[in-house]
Amino acid sequence: MATSTSRYDALRKQSRTLESLVESKLSAYARLASTVTRSADLEAGSTSTERLRDAENEVEGLLDKLRETHEEMAAQLNDTTSPPSQSMLHAVQRHRDVLQDYTRDFARTKSNVQKALDKANLLGDVRNDISSYKAAHSSVTDALLEERGRIDSSHRMIDETLE
């Protein structure tokens, strides 16, 4: 029983440490996401976007480790040789709730970042289309203006000849 309890205590301590890490990394990720989504630096492959992806991967890894730790804690409680106390059951449930909150917050922030990236890509594509249209349109307009100038010149020459 002492081994089972000490293993549970070690897992609980590890869980608290991971929760603390997840919380700090998640808030850093949210700050970075907020900064990046407000700035114009949303191009794929940009430094800010790469930092954001690195932070995402780090938070996902920590959430996975936390999930594994909680599963191990739950397995310790299912040990038939020593039934768990109410406080142990309550602690495991609280840890599960915290994990769910972190997972939900992370998913929400990640979704907002993806929406901002999609919007930036769409706006970038539209800007490129407008620029190419203007470039093509301006060359056509320039050609028409040159032709108009030639016609006006021809008219002047004819008017001078008739005078």
Side-chain angles (χ1 to χ4, degrees):
M1 179 172 169
T3 307
S4 177
T5 304
S6 64
R7 176 74 180 140
Y8 171 81
D9 290 338
L11 287 170
R12 188 162 178 224
K13 182 179 179 183
Q14 180 181 359
S15 180
R16 284 193 305 254
T17 302
L18 284 170
E19 285 172 359
S20 176
L21 261 172
V22 167
E23 187 172 347
S24 67
K25 295 295 182 180
L26 195 55
S27 64
Y29 172 69
R31 282 192 308 273
L32 181 61
S34 174
T35 302
V36 169
T37 56
R38 279 187 271 136
S39 74
D41 189 21
L42 287 175
E43 296 177 17
S46 71
T47 305
S48 298
T49 306
E50 289 301 316
R51 284 185 16 226
L52 197 62
R53 295 295 176 217
D54 290 344
E56 266 179 26
N57 292 335
E58 192 173 5
V59 171
E60 285 174 341
L62 287 170
L63 286 172
D64 288 342
K65 285 180 187 175
L66 186 59
R67 194 172 291 109
E68 290 170 8
T69 303
H70 290 174
E71 288 170 2
E72 287 181 48
M73 284 173 63
Q76 288 290 316
L77 294 181
N78 292 332
D79 185 11
T80 56
T81 58
S82 61
S85 67
Q86 282 295 71
S87 65
M88 292 170 118
L89 292 171
H90 178 72
V92 169
Q93 184 57 45
R94 187 193 68 75
H95 287 294
R96 279 189 192 133
D97 293 344
V98 168
L99 175 63
Q100 285 177 343
D101 290 344
Y102 289 153
T103 303
R104 185 176 44 249
D105 290 346
F106 176 67
R108 184 180 319 126
T109 303
K110 188 175 178 179
S111 172
N112 290 341
V113 166
Q114 190 58 49
K115 287 176 187 175
L117 289 171
D118 291 345
K119 181 180 175 183
N121 288 336
L122 179 62
L123 290 176
D125 291 345
V126 169
R127 284 186 192 112
N128 291 339
D129 290 347
I130 290 171
S131 296
S132 64
Y133 174 78
K134 283 181 179 179
H137 186 67
S138 71
S139 64
V140 170
T141 303
D142 290 344
L144 290 174
L145 287 173
E146 287 175 18
E147 185 65 26
R148 175 62 190 223
R150 286 188 211 105
I151 292 171
D152 287 343
S153 178
S154 296
H155 284 199
R156 274 192 305 276
M157 285 191 331
I158 292 174
D159 287 342
E160 289 173 4
T161 303
L162 289 176
E163 286 179 4

